[in-house]
Amino acid sequence: MTFRHIAQIAGSAMNAQSVRLNTIASNLANAQSASGVESATYHARKPVFAAVMGDPTGAGAGVQVLDVVQSTEPLRRAHEPDHPLANEEGVVFYPNVNTVAEMTDMMAASRAFETNVEVMARVKTMQQSLLKLGEG
Amino acid sequence: MGIDFDKALGVHPDALRLRAERTRILAANIANESTPGYQARDIDFAAALHRSAADDDAGGLSLDTDGPADALYRVPNHPSQDGNTVELGSEQAAFSQNSSDFQTSLTFVNMKIRGLAKAIAGQ
């Protein structure tokens, strides 16, 4: 049935967008988590989305989160010998989180989430009016 | 003489089914707004109608929504670098228009059913 498929598609999209919001929250929360070791420093996390072709006609696809990958952008190095976490050269590593980019990504993610909520609401009214078919 | 309900309701039940199918395709487009490489699809309603009208010889039109050939790929106005061809604005507009069309088809079917009910009741 078409309407159940729509609910599944919109639901999968909402799920994917909330994973995206989760990574954004994690990135923003850890934007200032300094470390003295480069490999132990927090790296920005990004979800990877992919379409799921659910039916043989391939005309309706949900979304799945394939993986959450770590950003390969270079870390921010700061020379702060007074910092308690500084290594022997006095260097502190800060995460490669771009706060401005994360904020815009957050807006995009929440807009996409809301759009799918709207789709669900509209489909619900369509289904309800279809149930009243023939009543007058 | 019996009433043939399929003929009496005309093209509208098929149109309604096609609208519901199109809702699903547009919902999938909106869902995959941020999926890299996803290509937006849509049904050409007029072409589907014309094709079935050309095939059909016995009056009533029937729309074939089963074939994969019905869902075409959208040509984007501004192609994006990640290969995604969903343009949220036009998808939202199409979705909104489509649900209005769905209500229209539904109203037509309802009118037909009311007419039939009157005929059966003999009013």
Side-chain angles (χ1 to χ4, degrees):
Chain A
M1 181 59 200
T2 312
F3 287 112
R4 202 178 60 228
H5 287 151
I6 298 172
Q8 282 170 358
I9 290 166
S12 72
M14 286 192 270
N15 187 35
Q17 296 300 340
S18 52
V19 169
R20 187 174 166 195
L21 279 170
N22 248 316
T23 60
I24 293 165
S26 163
N27 292 346
L28 286 175
N30 287 292
Q32 299 299 325
S33 304
S35 169
V37 189
E38 189 164 7
S39 58
T41 314
Y42 181 88
H43 287 68
R45 282 159 170 75
K46 301 281 173 196
V48 182
F49 291 170
V52 199
M53 293 301 175
D55 63 332
T57 61
V63 193
Q64 63 172 337
V65 182
L66 275 185
D67 199 4
V68 178
V69 296
Q70 297 202 351
S71 168
T72 51
E73 294 274 310
L75 296 174
R76 191 156 57 85
R77 292 165 64 105
H79 184 70
E80 292 174 6
D82 299 338
H83 199 290
L85 291 170
N87 61 13
E88 58 273 12
E89 293 162 3
V91 175
V92 182
F93 295 96
Y94 284 99
N96 52 358
V97 175
N98 183 340
T99 321
V100 179
E102 295 294 336
M103 290 298 282
T104 52
D105 207 25
M106 180 172 76
M107 284 163 72
S110 65
R111 284 293 293 275
F113 189 94
E114 280 168 26
T115 311
N116 283 289
V117 172
E118 243 358 91
V119 167
M120 291 277 274
R122 188 68 70 93
V123 167
K124 194 178 155 199
T125 58
M126 283 166 72
Q127 202 168 8
Q128 273 170 348
S129 53
L130 195 59
L131 284 171
K132 291 199 193 96
L133 184 68
E135 280 185 10
Chain B
M1 194 190 89
I3 299 173
D4 185 343
F5 280 93
D6 280 345
K7 273 189 184 162
L9 294 176
V11 73
H12 303 302
D14 289 324
L16 199 62
R17 200 169 61 230
L18 193 68
R19 292 298 180 199
E21 183 66 17
R22 187 160 182 243
T23 311
R24 186 166 71 91
I25 293 171
L26 294 176
N29 289 348
I30 292 174
N32 284 286
E33 181 215 341
S34 33
T35 307
Y38 180 82
Q39 299 192 308
R41 308 185 76 166
D42 199 359
I43 293 175
D44 188 344
F45 188 83
L49 200 67
H50 278 301
R51 196 170 49 243
S52 60
D55 291 349
D56 222 29
D57 42 9
L61 301 168
S62 68
L63 302 171
D64 175 30
T65 58
D66 302 329
D70 277 321
L72 308 169
Y73 290 100
R74 214 190 270 297
V75 178
N77 293 318
H78 303 285
S80 67
Q81 206 175 16
D82 65 356
N84 186 311
T85 61
V86 179
E87 280 159 354
L88 193 59
S90 50
E91 296 297 338
Q92 277 177 317
F95 189 86
S96 165
Q97 179 68 51
N98 184 62
S99 65
S100 302
D101 292 344
F102 181 88
Q103 296 292 350
T104 310
S105 289
L106 199 61
T107 309
F108 278 132
V109 175
N110 254 329
M111 282 159 67
K112 292 273 188 190
I113 288 174
R114 264 210 307 277
L116 283 174
K118 270 190 181 162
I120 290 165
Q123 289 170 340

